[in-house]
Amino acid sequence: ASEQDPSVDDLPFPDFASTLPNAERARLRGLSPSELREWTISRARRYQRIMFAFLSIHNAASPILTLPTEILSMILAYCWQNRASLRIAHVCRRWRAVALKTPDLWADAVGGERFHFDVSDLTRDDINLLRYIDVMARRSAPRLLRLQTAFTPTLSKLLLRYTSRLVSLDVGIYSGYAYQAFFSVLASGMDALEELNVSFYQQPRDDEDRSEE
């Protein structure tokens, strides 16, 4: 075989090497196992960057990406359904950039579900949920917020950051301690608040169901 079209039979791993361009096949000859590993991972990373560049160009040519930013933002503002809608921000770089500057999307993320916390103990899931609410609320600025949640004292500090933007608040309270913490938050002032719903529940014991007092 010529230099321009080297045979793969005498190359390492010929079944794989047969798909490589001729120039790359030639480079494989004579490499030790350690050199082969080092060279192939280097080339793989280079081709990965090339692949991502091609995909970015492909996506950029999509008709929807030619929409003006203002129109795309208006579309994204009506896209929230549940937390799976977070994928919107991962479609491409432009969608992420526009989504992050679309506060209505994130305001719907805060108001679109009822949040539940472990009322007896702060768990790792609770901490992650607090962070989630905080991030969504920050991204939603300066929009007004609606929040439905079980109230725990650990939620107080978070709520205090956004009291000026809360227009609707629906909380469930399960203990006297939470009751005191919640009304301390109310006393701080909520100038935009138009709707307040507070439900008091008895904390369940063992297998008993929760019942409203």
Side-chain angles (χ1 to χ4, degrees), residues 53-69:
F54 275 126
L55 290 175
S56 295
I57 293 169
H58 170 80
N59 290 337
S62 174
I64 195 170
L65 292 183
T66 64
L67 287 173
T69 297

Side-chain angles (χ1 to χ4, degrees), residues 42 46 55 61 146 148-149 155 157-158 162 170 175 188 211:
S42 173
R46 181 174 184 273
L55 290 175
R146 299 177 179 275
Q148 305 174 74
T149 183
L155 190 61
K157 187 175 181 181
L158 177 62
Y162 305 107
D170 183 337
S175 70
S188 69
S211 60

Side-chain angles (χ1 to χ4, degrees), residues 38-57:
E38 182 179 354
W39 183 81
T40 52
I41 194 62
S42 173
R43 301 303 289 172
R45 287 169 178 163
R46 181 174 184 273
Y47 277 113
Q48 184 181 51
R49 291 193 295 271
I50 293 172
M51 178 191 71
F52 286 147
F54 275 126
L55 290 175
S56 295
I57 293 169

Side-chain angles (χ1 to χ4, degrees), residues 89-110:
H90 299 281
V91 172
C92 65
R93 294 178 189 176
R94 182 167 183 246
W95 277 41
R96 178 171 177 79
V98 174
L100 290 176
K101 294 181 180 179
T102 304
D104 289 316
L105 175 67
W106 310 111
D108 285 348
V110 175

Side-chain angles (χ1 to χ4, degrees), residues 8 10 16 18-19 31 42 57 61 72-73 106 134 189 198 210:
V8 298
D10 59 344
F16 302 124
S18 62
T19 64
L31 294 178
S42 173
I57 293 169
L72 179 58
S73 181
W106 310 111
D134 188 29
V198 183
R210 290 175 181 166

